[in-house]
């Protein structure tokens, strides 16, 4: 059974848009202690109960101390970028114990070697999910992840939504559901944490391409074709990385893909639109407040495809557009004439 009680706050690490959205959901059920690196954010939350233009519950309090979060909270949601996730966990691990439950909300991959783990812990030729980083870098055992169509802007607006908590431990799912669930936010579950993490990370790549289509003003026919064929590539890559098709056909896969690849509230979709509009990769990175995880994931997956000599024409083509300066017109022409016409080949 979980040690979560109504007297203890639930922790959140990271005060980006999704971290704040999750904190808002939790605050309907429990007090929240959110950790931020930035003193102005700390002051804004604690003094004015606002951040990112959002009015926050008075039950959300901020701190800059990871130790305080670990000491006060048994259930903690780490929600930082995949690029910084391992470094965060290496610092946080000093204060964590096996009784903690961690449910992360980061959709991406890591390629750094574990600092503390020993033995054969490096999987998929050095590609790690966030749950694997938690296990590698800390003494925490009960780990889960959030996945699904969770656009932060819509959660801020109080629109009905849902998530999937993936974990091998029923008590993790139960604790996460108790923290998050409300009349406007449903929580589903799956034991396939690897599938949920892979689906959540890979769909960001397809959302980049869908944003390019939107940026060029193309219609729903090509969007539906691109997203569907993108899902097929996601499934094949997921299989190659150690999971089956189940998670990709549920909320964590196709559900998240539809939302992220069609909404101007999606960072990855907007990133693709801006690329299609003529901005360079560096210009967009310089003039954006939060990371589009799909860019980093695209690079990691492309390098993995090369190691395995595995073909994924959509992802390979997106890489050429994003990182090598290939034109959008060349990319569309190549994909429309690609010599493969089987529809469903993954069941």
């Amino acid at each position: 059974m979980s040690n979560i009680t109504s007297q203890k706050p639930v922790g959140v690490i990271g005060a980006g848009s999704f971290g704040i959205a999750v904190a808002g959901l939790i605050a309907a059920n429990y007090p929240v202690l959110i950790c931020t690196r930035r003193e102005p954010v700390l002051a804004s939350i604690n003094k004015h109960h606002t951040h990112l233009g959002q009015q926050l519950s008075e039950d959300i309090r901020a701190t800059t101390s990871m130790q305080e979060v670990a000491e006060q909270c048994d259930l903690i949601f780490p929600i930082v970028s995949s690029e910084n996730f391992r470094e965060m966990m290496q610092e946080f691990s000093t204060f964590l114990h096996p009784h903690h439950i961690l449910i992360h909300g980061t959709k991406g991959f890591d390629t750094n070697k574990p600092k503390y783990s020993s033995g054969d812990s490096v999987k998929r030729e050095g590609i790690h999910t966030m749950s694997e980083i938690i296990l590698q870098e800390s003494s925490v055992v009960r780990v889960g992840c959030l996945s699904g169509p969770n656009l932060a802007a819509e959660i801020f607006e109080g629109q009905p939504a849902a998530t999937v908590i993936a974990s091998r431990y029923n008590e993790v799912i139960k604790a996460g559901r108790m923290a998050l669930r409300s009349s406007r936010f449903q929580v589903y579950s799956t034991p396939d944490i690897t599938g949920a993490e892979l689906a959540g990370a890979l769909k960001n790549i397809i959302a980049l391409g869908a944003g390019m289509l939107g940026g060029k003003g193309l219609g729903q026919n090509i969007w539906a074709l691109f997203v569907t064929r993108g899902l097929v590539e996601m499934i094949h890559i997921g299989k190659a990385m150690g999971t089956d098709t189940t998670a990709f056909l549920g909320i964590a896969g196709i559900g998240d893909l539809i939302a992220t690849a069609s909404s101007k509230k999606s960072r990855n979709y907007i990133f693709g639109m801006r690329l299609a509009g003529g901005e360079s990769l560096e210009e967009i990175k310089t003039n954006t407040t939060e990371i589009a995880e799909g860019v980093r994931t695209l690079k990691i997956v492309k390098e993995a495809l090369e190691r395995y000599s595995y073909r994924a024409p959509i992802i390979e083509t997106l890489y050429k557009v994003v990182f090598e300066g290939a034109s959008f017109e060349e990319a569309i022409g190549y994909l429309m004439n690609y010599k493969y016409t089987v529809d469903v080949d993954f069941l």
Side-chain angles (χ1 to χ4, degrees):
M1 293 294 292
S2 167
N3 293 323
I4 309 303
T5 68
S6 58
Q7 286 72 43
K8 280 199 168 189
V10 173
V12 176
I13 305 294
S17 58
F18 191 49
I20 291 295
V22 168
L25 292 169
I26 297 168
N29 300 309
Y30 294 95
V32 178
L33 181 61
I34 188 166
C35 185
T36 175
R37 295 286 193 188
R38 294 171 290 173
E39 290 288 347
V41 175
L42 178 82
S44 181
I45 293 174
N46 289 342
K47 292 181 180 180
H48 307 293
H49 307 293
T50 61
H51 181 44
L52 301 175
Q54 301 297 319
Q55 187 66 43
L56 305 181
S57 166
E58 294 186 7
D59 288 323
I60 298 174
R61 183 172 69 84
T63 179
T64 57
S65 170
M66 288 186 176
Q67 182 174 358
E68 184 180 2
V69 174
E71 289 177 350
Q72 293 200 25
C73 308
D74 292 330
L75 173 62
I76 303 167
F77 290 81
I79 306 174
V80 303
S81 70
S82 62
E83 186 173 11
N84 298 316
F85 199 92
R86 187 179 294 277
E87 181 182 0
M88 177 275 297
M89 279 305 306
Q90 288 173 347
E91 180 179 351
F92 197 23
S93 64
T94 304
F95 313 113
L96 294 172
H97 302 281
H99 74 264
H100 284 108
I101 292 175
L102 265 61
I103 303 175
H104 77 82
T106 301
K107 297 172 181 177
F109 296 131
D110 174 81
T111 57
N112 296 309
K113 292 183 179 179
K115 184 176 180 180
Y116 302 115
S117 294
S118 60
D120 185 19
S121 60
V122 179
K123 300 179 180 179
R124 302 179 211 94
E125 296 292 331
I127 297 176
H128 314 275
T129 65
M130 301 304 109
S131 69
E132 289 167 350
I133 293 174
I134 294 171
L135 295 173
Q136 290 165 358
E137 300 292 352
S138 75
S139 61
V140 175
V141 175
R142 297 178 297 174
V143 175
C145 80
L146 296 179
S147 196
N150 298 150
L151 297 172
E154 293 187 4
I155 294 174
F156 288 147
E157 295 167 359
Q159 294 190 34
T163 195
V164 174
I165 296 179
S167 179
R168 298 180 181 91
Y169 296 91
N170 288 333
E171 60 199 288
V172 173
I173 293 169
K174 180 180 178 181
R177 180 179 285 124
M178 290 174 63
L180 294 169
R181 190 173 182 180
S182 71
S183 61
R184 301 186 72 80
F185 196 78
Q186 178 61 277
V187 179
Y188 294 88
S189 66
T190 177
D192 185 6
I193 187 170
T194 301
E197 288 181 293
L198 296 184
L202 292 169
K203 70 93 183 45
N204 285 331
I205 298 175
I206 307 306
L208 286 175
M212 293 179 199
L213 297 177
K216 289 295 185 180
L218 298 185
Q220 292 304 108
N221 284 341
I222 186 62
W223 179 89
L225 173 62
F226 179 83
V227 170
T228 304
R229 295 309 303 172
L231 176 64
V232 172
E233 285 195 13
M234 288 168 55
I235 290 171
H236 284 301
I237 293 171
K239 284 184 174 181
M241 295 176 72
T243 190
D244 60 25
T245 62
T246 305
F248 290 84
L249 300 178
I251 295 173
I254 192 169
D256 199 1
L257 175 62
I258 291 171
T260 310
S262 64
S263 175
K264 292 182 180 179
K265 296 174 181 177
S266 157
R267 291 192 295 271
N268 292 284
Y269 185 87
I270 289 296
F271 200 103
M273 285 191 70
R274 292 175 67 180
L275 276 174
E279 293 182 72
S280 70
L281 182 63
E282 292 307 317
E283 285 174 336
I284 300 172
K285 285 183 175 180
T286 301
N287 297 294
T288 191
T289 56
E290 292 190 293
I291 294 170
E293 286 281 4
V295 177
R296 185 167 183 268
T297 305
L298 174 59
K299 189 172 185 179
I300 291 172
V301 172
K302 173 60 165 53
E303 291 171 355
L305 292 173
E306 290 176 349
R307 286 199 302 270
Y308 289 116
S309 298
Y310 193 91
R311 297 306 308 274
I314 289 176
I315 289 175
E316 292 168 14
T317 304
L318 286 175
Y319 183 90
K320 291 178 181 178
V321 173
V322 175
F323 291 105
E324 297 179 353
S327 74
F328 180 84
E329 290 71 21
E330 288 175 327
I332 288 291
Y334 173 76
L335 291 175
M336 290 302 296
N337 290 284
Y338 192 76
K339 303 300 182 183
Y340 189 79
T341 56
V342 178
D343 187 9
V344 176
D345 60 356
F346 52 82
L347 293 177

